[in-house]
Amino acid sequence: VQEALNPDYRTRYDIEFRTISVEDQQIRWLRCQGKAYFNDQDVADRFAGTAQDITAQMAARENLQNIENQARLAVESAGAGTFLVDLITDNIVYSTTLAKIFTGNETKNLTRESLKTYILPEDKSKRTKAYQEADKTGKLFYEARVIWDNGSIHWVRVMGTYLYDSQNKPVRFAGIAQDISAEVEADLEQKQLASLVEGSPEYMSIASLDGSLRYINPYGLD
C-alpha cells in the first residue's frame, strides 16, 4: 500500500494473503488489487481496488504442488534428474540430481547453454536432431555422452515433453535425465561377447532343459 501511495513508485497494489473470519475462525485466501490516484500536487487523494476470495484456487494450487512434489520424489528415487524450461525466458529450473548427471557435481546456477557445453562435441548433433523432431511431435528423446568436471565420460538419456497454453503455443518444457553409463557398458559387453561367439572357430550353443537348441553359432552350424 505504501508503495502504491508513493508518487515515486505508483505501483499497483496486488497481493495475496490470508484472513481469519471472526464468525467461524476459518482461514481464507484473498487477492486484493488496486491503485492510487494522484492530484496535481502528486498527492494520493484516492485509492480504489477489489478483493477476491481465492481460497478454492489456492487449495487447488496446493494440491497440484503436492502431486508435482510426489511425482518429482518418485523420479528422483529412481535416480533420474528433473528439469523445467520456461520457453519465454529460456530460464531452467533443475534438480541437483540432474546437475550431477550432467556435470558430476551438484552444480548450481547452470543455464541451458552451460548444460549443452557438457555434451561431447561428437554427440551434440544428436541433441539438435532430437529437438527438431520434438518441434514436430512434442516429445523429446536422445542419448548422448557428457564430459564431467573430472574429465570422465558418461552416457545420459534425456526425455521430455512440451507444455502448451490455451492457444496451443508451447510455453514450457519438462523432462528428466538418467545416467545410463552402466546400461550402455553392459550392452557393449554383451555385443562384444556375441561377436566373439559368432566368430569363434568352436561349436557353441545354448540349449533348453528339454534338449531343444535355442542358439547355435555359425561354426556349430557348419
Side-chain angles (χ1 to χ4, degrees):
V1 171
Q2 289 175 346
E3 289 184 355
L5 296 176
N6 190 326
D8 294 330
Y9 294 106
R10 301 186 186 222
T11 57
R12 284 188 59 84
Y13 177 61
D14 189 343
I15 189 170
E16 297 174 351
F17 57 89
R18 290 167 294 176
T19 63
I20 302 178
S21 173
V22 175
E23 296 179 355
D24 56 16
Q25 299 299 305
Q26 292 294 313
I27 294 178
R28 292 180 174 84
W29 276 95
L30 290 184
R31 182 180 184 185
C32 293
Q33 298 173 287
K35 63 176 295 186
Y37 296 87
F38 297 83
N39 59 25
D40 295 338
Q41 288 74 44
D42 278 340
V43 176
D45 57 4
R46 285 185 299 144
F47 186 76
T50 60
Q52 180 184 10
D53 186 337
I54 59 169
T55 305
Q57 294 94 312
M58 294 300 291
R61 186 188 304 177
E62 182 179 357
N63 185 52
L64 179 61
Q65 185 64 49
N66 290 335
I67 293 174
E68 290 179 350
N69 290 338
Q70 291 173 358
R72 187 176 296 110
L73 178 61
V75 170
E76 294 285 336
S77 299
T82 59
F83 65 91
L84 179 66
V85 178
D86 186 325
L87 298 177
I88 307 301
T89 63
D90 208 38
N91 290 332
I92 182 172
V93 178
Y94 58 88
S95 65
T96 54
T97 304
L98 181 124
K100 191 168 185 179
I101 289 172
F102 267 82
T103 72
N105 300 298
E106 295 182 354
T107 310
K108 298 180 180 179
N109 302 321
L110 288 170
T111 64
R112 292 187 77 187
E113 289 300 317
S114 60
L115 277 171
K116 285 194 294 185
T117 62
Y118 284 91
I119 299 177
L120 209 65
E122 299 93 316
D123 289 1
K124 287 184 178 180
S125 61
K126 296 180 180 179
R127 179 186 181 277
T128 301
K129 291 179 181 178
Y131 271 96
Q132 291 173 347
E133 186 66 23
D135 289 338
K136 304 174 185 176
T137 65
K139 302 293 183 181
L140 177 75
F141 179 88
Y142 72 89
E143 295 176 351
R145 292 167 294 176
V146 294
I147 308 174
W148 281 9
D149 290 330
N150 62 8
S152 60
I153 296 177
H154 297 257
W155 277 91
V156 298
R157 176 183 293 139
V158 180
M159 297 176 286
T161 184
Y162 281 110
L163 305 176
Y164 302 87
D165 62 12
S166 56
Q167 283 76 43
N168 204 34
K169 177 183 177 182
V171 291
R172 291 190 296 170
F173 192 85
I176 64 172
Q178 298 171 291
D179 186 334
I180 59 169
S181 300
E183 178 182 331
V184 172
E185 290 174 4
D187 183 60
L188 178 60
E189 289 179 1
Q190 185 178 7
K191 288 180 179 178
Q192 290 174 337
L193 179 60
S195 177
L196 290 174
V197 171
E198 287 285 305
S200 173
E202 296 180 349
Y203 176 97
M204 293 188 180
S205 65
I206 299 175
S208 299
L209 291 179
D210 62 5
S212 60
L213 286 175
R214 299 175 56 192
Y215 168 81
I216 183 169
N217 69 344
Y219 186 83
L221 287 173
D222 290 342

